[in-house]
Amino acid sequence: MASRIRAEDLECPLSTTVQHVGEWWTLLILHDAFDGFTRFDQFQENLGISTSMLTARLKTLVADGLLERRPYQTNPTRHEYVLTDLGRSLRPVIVTLAAWGNSRLDPEQRSMILVDAAAGEEVEPVVVDARTGNRLDDSRAYVFAAGPAASPAMRARYIRTTPPSSDGGTTG
């Protein structure tokens, strides 16, 4: 079977991120880690995931630097899986994905919502530019462009300055 990876995908931040967290179980394990789960049996019980799949996903998350494997018991040796700084930096992505899922549902159909821990009120996450505070969901106002390290293939992809269509624009 031919590879679906193009040359520009190897340097695209979206493609490389999906390689790390784009698998179904990986996102759910990370979600549980953000909720405070650290132990193998906690992940397994909460997710209903097979031992072999959980083992494989945890090994990948550790190898990718998103989780750190630490012993918490010596006899017998048992390990916990703790989010690293890199792993914690994915929380806004997980929060945004959940919010997108909820945005398609009526409020009474939502099984999980994000709330302000102190006030208990539901919040609506949005992605904004850190400098201006402007929302980034307008694909006509904010477009991807080749960065300083872009290869010729990536530069060719982003020669245009506007998206090719109005249904979501270009992605990297």
Side-chain angles (χ1 to χ4, degrees), residues 108-126:
E108 63 274 3
Q109 294 177 311
R110 297 174 182 172
S111 62
M112 176 187 74
I113 58 173
L114 185 67
V115 298
D116 180 303
E121 295 179 13
E122 185 173 1
V123 296
E124 180 185 353
V126 296

Side-chain angles (χ1 to χ4, degrees), residues 40-49 54:
F40 190 96
D41 59 334
Q42 293 173 323
F43 291 119
Q44 190 172 35
E45 183 179 334
N46 192 55
L47 296 172
I49 185 174
L54 181 56

Side-chain angles (χ1 to χ4, degrees), residues 56-154:
R57 296 281 64 84
L58 288 171
K59 281 182 180 178
T60 299
L61 287 164
V62 169
D64 288 347
L66 301 175
L67 293 177
E68 179 183 345
R69 185 174 182 244
R70 295 183 193 161
Y72 70 87
Q73 177 180 311
T74 56
N75 193 11
T77 302
R78 301 257 188 243
H79 293 88
E80 64 181 351
Y81 297 87
V82 180
L83 287 160
T84 62
D85 288 342
L86 183 61
R88 280 188 294 279
S89 73
L90 280 169
R91 188 165 193 276
V93 176
I94 303 293
V95 166
T96 304
L97 285 170
W100 180 83
N102 273 343
S103 72
R104 302 177 307 117
L105 301 171
D106 291 330
E108 63 274 3
Q109 294 177 311
R110 297 174 182 172
S111 62
M112 176 187 74
I113 58 173
L114 185 67
V115 298
D116 180 303
E121 295 179 13
E122 185 173 1
V123 296
E124 180 185 353
V126 296
V127 179
V128 299
D129 173 53
R131 187 178 51 82
T132 64
N134 293 334
R135 289 177 64 129
L136 299 179
D137 51 3
D138 182 349
S139 62
R140 293 209 176 272
Y142 300 97
V143 299
F144 288 102
S151 68
M154 187 63 83

Side-chain angles (χ1 to χ4, degrees), residues 15-59:
S15 297
T16 56
T17 299
V18 168
Q19 287 177 1
H20 294 287
V21 298
E23 201 272 333
W24 162 274
W25 287 116
T26 299
L27 289 172
L28 296 179
I29 292 166
L30 287 170
H31 177 252
D32 275 3
F34 291 125
D35 282 348
F37 292 86
T38 60
R39 297 187 179 168
F40 190 96
D41 59 334
Q42 293 173 323
F43 291 119
Q44 190 172 35
E45 183 179 334
N46 192 55
L47 296 172
I49 185 174
S50 73
T51 300
S52 61
M53 180 61 74
L54 181 56
T55 299
R57 296 281 64 84
L58 288 171
K59 281 182 180 178

